[in-house]
């Protein structure tokens, strides 16, 4: 008599791709707006990007119910921090908080693939990339989600990220200008939506720099 | 007693010899093949002068698009075409095989092929493979007996219908057909309806996409409209373009001759002595 397996899963994958690129004085965070389940589209107009603090923006793909829950937890913790310290959380501090929040649920994880982008205390762009249980690293650029395997090799080729094994530690940010970085992101999403069925509809791009936050949309393939 | 059963002659009809073996395999952990809903939208409908077939052009390998513009409407005979959903190798192989068989049959009989012939050949092949040949087909054509449209399922069952859809996008396409189909459509109305049904599959089903292929078959004529509609152009092309610099560095170049060049001297005395 074989053991009966559970045929109900608490998780579902709503698909989508998120990308972030850090520049010398800016950060671009982008995500597509398609939310899907199985072979169907739930909506073409869903934002996967959430601003946690004035200089920290979180983009997450995966199971959006878990992503929503995670965003709520982080927002509550950020509010507490503001009450206790009378200032906003810096991006590196938020990055560490996100890591701890994810590891807290190590044995029933948030099915969320996160990329945190923003400006550090010196005003330089920073991008932190995570796995589902909180392992994180500061990098110059990152892609997560269903189209990540298509986008990452292209970014590796274009942004020539230095290996973290090289000493002395080279700066992780890209020398590209803001316009060039946005062009790169648009190309990444246009190409990913050609070959990944879960990426498409629209791409939402947020650009953080010293003057504030700017939001841009671009149309993608709808098939 | 079992030895006596084995040596008894075959009495015709379906042979159940392999059922015991299948049971034994299942006990050992072999899972029976299940019907896979596949990434495709294929449709067919009967209009006043014949049949119209339609298909999308996306071929997927799981979540990745393997081919953005493949051909899913296969030639069977000059008056019969077949759309295929399922494993691409299976649909290609089975339609090519039956197409060859139909050609030989045409030589043998001296007559135009009939749709029911193709139907019987396909369904008996698929049934004998018990669903392991994963091909879901929409077969349509016009012969001496009139226009015909059939669906064929991987296990070998068939339906004869005035309008049909198959593949993962079949529900999206059938929604359009059920709302807008009526008997006695004209050619233009029929093509427009087929294109609309395929577009519904393309935009609402993630397993289908790219372009619309249409095939119109009437008495004595067929029009294969490859890429009849291209509703998904590339969304963004960077103006400046991208360069991919060579990342490999040449460390050392060494030429090793494989064999010493031997010169042949004509008219020499080399062989003597």
């Amino acid at each position: 008599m074989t053991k009966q397996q559970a045929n109900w899963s608490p998780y579902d994958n709503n698909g989508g791709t998120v990308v972030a690129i850090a520049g010398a004085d800016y950060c671009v965070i982008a995500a597509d707006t398609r939310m899907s389940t199985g072979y169907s589209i739930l909506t073409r107009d869903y934002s996967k990007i959430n601003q946690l603090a004035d200089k920290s923006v979180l983009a997450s793909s995966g199971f959006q119910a878990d992503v929503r829950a995670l965003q709520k937890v982080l927002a509550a913790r950020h509010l507490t921090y503001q009450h206790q310290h009378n200032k906003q959380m810096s991006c590196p501090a938020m990055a560490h908080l996100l890591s701890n929040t994810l590891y807290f649920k190590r044995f029933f994880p948030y099915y969320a693939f996160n990329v945190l982008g923003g400006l550090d205390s010196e005003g330089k762009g920073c991008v932190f990339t995570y796995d589902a249980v909180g392992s994180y690293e500061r990098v110059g650029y990152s892609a997560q989600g269903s189209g990540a395997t298509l986008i990452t090799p292209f970014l590796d080729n274009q942004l020539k990220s230095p290996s973290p094994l090289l000493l002395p530690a080279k700066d992780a940010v890209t020398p590209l200008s803001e316009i060039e970085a946005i062009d790169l992101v648009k190309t990444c999403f246009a190409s990913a939506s050609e070959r990944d069925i879960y990426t498409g509809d629209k791409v939402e791009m947020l650009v953080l720099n010293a003057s504030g936050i700017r939001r841009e949309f671009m149309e993608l393939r709808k098939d | 007693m079992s030895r006596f059963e084995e040596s008894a002659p075959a009495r015709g009809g379906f042979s159940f010899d392999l059922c015991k073996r299948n049971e034994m395999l299942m006990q050992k952990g072999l899972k029976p093949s299940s019907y896979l809903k596949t990434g495709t939208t294929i449709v067919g409908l009967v209009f006043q002068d014949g049949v119209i077939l339609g298909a999308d052009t996306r071929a997927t390998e799981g979540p990745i698009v393997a081919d953005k513009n493949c051909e899913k409407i296969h030639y069977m005979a000059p008056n019969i075409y077949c759309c295929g959903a399922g494993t691409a190798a299976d649909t290609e192989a089975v339609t090519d095989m039956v197409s060859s068989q139909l050609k030989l049959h045409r030589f043998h009989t001296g007559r135009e092929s009939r749709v029911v012939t193709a139907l019987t050949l396909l369904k008996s092949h698929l049934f004998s493979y018990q669903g392991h040949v994963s091909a879901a087909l929409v077969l349509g054509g016009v012969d001496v007996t009139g226009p015909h449209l059939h669906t064929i399922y991987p296990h070998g069952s068939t339906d004869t219908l005035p309008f049909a859809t198959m593949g993962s996008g079949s529900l999206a396409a059938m929604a359009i057909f059920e709302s807008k189909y009526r008997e006695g459509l004209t050619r233009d109305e029929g093509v427009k309806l087929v294109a609309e049904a395929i577009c519904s599959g393309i935009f609402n089903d993630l397993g289908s996409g790219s372009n619309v292929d249409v095939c119109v078959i009437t008495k004595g004529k067929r029009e294969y409209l490859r890429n009849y509609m291209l509703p998904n152009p590339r969304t963004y092309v960077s103006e400046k373009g991208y360069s991919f610099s060579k990342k490999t560095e040449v460390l050392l170049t060494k030429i090793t001759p494989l064999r010493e060049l031997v010169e042949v001297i004509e008219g020499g005395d080399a062989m003597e002595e």
Side-chain angles (χ1 to χ4, degrees):
Chain A
M1 180 80 171
T2 47
K3 192 171 173 180
Q4 204 187 13
Q5 302 278 358
N7 43 20
W8 176 84
S9 168
Y11 297 115
D12 186 19
N13 192 348
N14 298 122
T17 309
V18 295
V19 170
I21 301 179
D25 60 350
Y26 67 89
C27 186
V28 182
I29 300 106
D32 72 319
T33 61
R34 172 177 284 176
M35 188 167 158
S36 48
T37 176
Y39 271 133
S40 305
I41 297 179
L42 289 169
T43 178
R44 297 188 193 271
D45 207 3
Y46 188 81
S47 175
K48 297 185 184 70
I49 303 181
N50 187 262
Q51 188 177 5
L52 299 172
D54 66 354
K55 295 211 175 85
S56 305
V57 174
L58 177 67
S60 320
S61 80
F63 182 34
Q64 293 301 322
D66 273 356
V67 167
R68 271 296 170 93
L70 179 64
Q71 286 168 355
K72 283 172 85 171
V73 165
L74 291 171
R77 286 300 316 271
H78 183 226
L79 193 59
T80 310
Y81 181 96
Q82 287 180 300
H83 288 150
Q84 289 171 348
H85 298 85
N86 196 21
K87 65 171 180 172
Q88 297 259 334
M89 269 177 102
S90 67
C91 195
M94 184 62 83
H96 204 117
L97 173 64
L98 174 54
S99 170
N100 289 339
T101 310
L102 291 169
Y103 198 77
F104 193 68
K105 288 216 340 131
R106 170 67 179 83
F107 298 110
F108 184 11
Y110 289 106
Y111 194 116
F113 301 103
N114 306 294
V115 171
L116 183 76
L119 301 170
D120 64 11
S121 10
E122 294 163 27
K124 279 202 285 221
C126 60
V127 169
F128 298 89
T129 187
Y130 296 79
D131 72 355
V133 284
S135 162
Y136 82 113
E137 188 192 357
R138 181 171 176 172
V139 285
Y141 60 89
S142 174
Q144 291 276 357
S146 56
T149 46
L150 296 165
I151 293 176
T152 306
F154 177 60
L155 289 180
D156 282 345
N157 179 277
Q158 294 295 312
L159 298 177
K160 298 187 181 81
S161 177
S163 167
L165 300 171
L166 281 172
L167 292 169
K170 283 217 196 100
D171 226 11
V173 297
T174 171
L176 285 181
S177 74
E178 199 179 295
I179 313 282
E180 287 173 325
I182 294 174
D183 188 76
L184 191 61
V185 163
K186 286 182 180 174
T187 307
C188 283
F189 274 93
S191 309
S193 60
E194 294 275 320
R195 292 288 177 173
D196 177 28
I197 62 178
Y198 297 117
T199 303
D201 292 328
K202 278 202 298 272
V203 57
E204 181 187 7
M205 290 169 282
L206 249 75
V207 184
L208 269 98
N209 50 26
S211 32
I213 299 194
R214 195 176 84 240
R215 184 179 291 223
E216 247 182 80
F217 285 90
M218 185 185 84
E219 296 290 323
L220 294 175
R221 280 174 77 121
K222 304 201 181 320
D223 64 353
Chain B
M1 194 60 186
S2 54
R3 248 189 329 123
F4 188 85
E5 273 174 30
E6 275 163 38
S7 56
R11 265 174 276 138
F14 192 75
S15 159
F16 292 93
D17 293 341
L18 289 173
C19 290
K20 269 201 186 146
R21 160 202 171 261
N22 290 344
E23 248 177 67
M24 182 269 291
L25 282 172
M26 291 234 261
Q27 271 170 13
K28 289 207 169 166
L30 174 75
K31 280 176 266 240
S33 57
S34 56
Y35 177 48
L36 270 177
K37 262 241 144 79
T38 51
T40 290
T41 308
I42 51 173
V43 305
L45 61 72
V46 175
F47 73 111
Q48 68 186 31
D49 302 324
V51 302
I52 306 176
L53 300 174
D56 74 308
T57 61
R58 175 182 279 182
T60 50
E61 259 171 27
I64 301 290
V65 177
D67 191 343
K68 293 188 272 189
N69 205 5
C70 69
E71 286 186 32
K72 298 187 191 184
I73 305 184
H74 307 284
Y75 168 87
M76 296 286 265
N79 58 324
I80 308 173
Y81 274 75
C82 186
C83 305
T87 307
D90 285 338
T91 56
E92 287 280 348
V94 89
T95 48
D96 279 354
M97 185 195 80
V98 171
S99 173
S100 305
Q101 288 178 339
L102 285 176
K103 180 131 204 200
L104 290 170
H105 194 247
R106 279 202 293 285
F107 282 134
H108 194 77
T109 59
R111 291 181 172 84
E112 188 188 58
S113 296
R114 300 189 186 192
V115 182
V116 285
T117 316
L119 180 71
T120 309
L121 289 168
L122 286 165
K123 73 172 1 188
S124 49
H125 178 82
L126 292 176
F127 178 73
S128 68
Y129 281 89
Q130 288 291 293
H132 289 285
V133 175
S134 177
L137 310 166
V138 170
L139 177 71
V142 179
D143 57 28
V144 286
T145 45
H148 298 274
L149 179 70
H150 302 280
T151 50
I152 308 164
Y153 291 82
H155 284 264
S157 64
T158 59
D159 287 317
T160 307
L161 299 160
F163 56 95
T165 65
M166 294 284 260
S168 60
S170 62
L171 271 71
M174 189 51 97
I176 301 292
F177 273 177
E178 287 287 9
S179 328
K180 297 187 180 177
Y181 180 82
R182 53 188 168 75
E183 275 184 46
L185 289 163
T186 63
R187 182 199 176 279
D188 291 337
E189 288 173 336
V191 169
K192 188 159 155 285
L193 185 58
V194 159
E196 213 183 318
I198 296 290
C199 279
S200 171
I202 284 174
F203 291 112
N204 299 110
D205 173 44
L206 296 175
S208 314
S210 294
N211 315 121
V212 181
D213 282 353
V214 174
C215 186
V216 183
I217 310 173
T218 49
K219 192 168 160 62
K221 187 170 97 144
R222 96 280 196 172
E223 289 169 75
Y224 183 58
L225 304 166
R226 167 82 170 142
N227 284 1
Y228 172 75
M229 259 176 87
L230 295 112
N232 288 297
R234 207 180 156 114
T235 43
Y236 182 76
V237 180
S238 168
E239 288 138 10
K240 68 177 175 77
Y242 289 94
S243 62
F244 297 93
S245 55
K246 270 206 293 217
K247 297 282 191 150
T248 50
E249 204 186 291
V250 178
L251 293 173
L252 171 68
T253 309
K254 183 176 170 195
I255 302 169
T256 315
L258 291 171
R259 194 174 48 163
E260 279 205 17
L261 272 173
V262 177
E263 277 181 28
V264 178
I265 309 162
E266 288 290 338
D269 306 335
M271 287 305 266
E272 290 169 28
E273 245 170 28

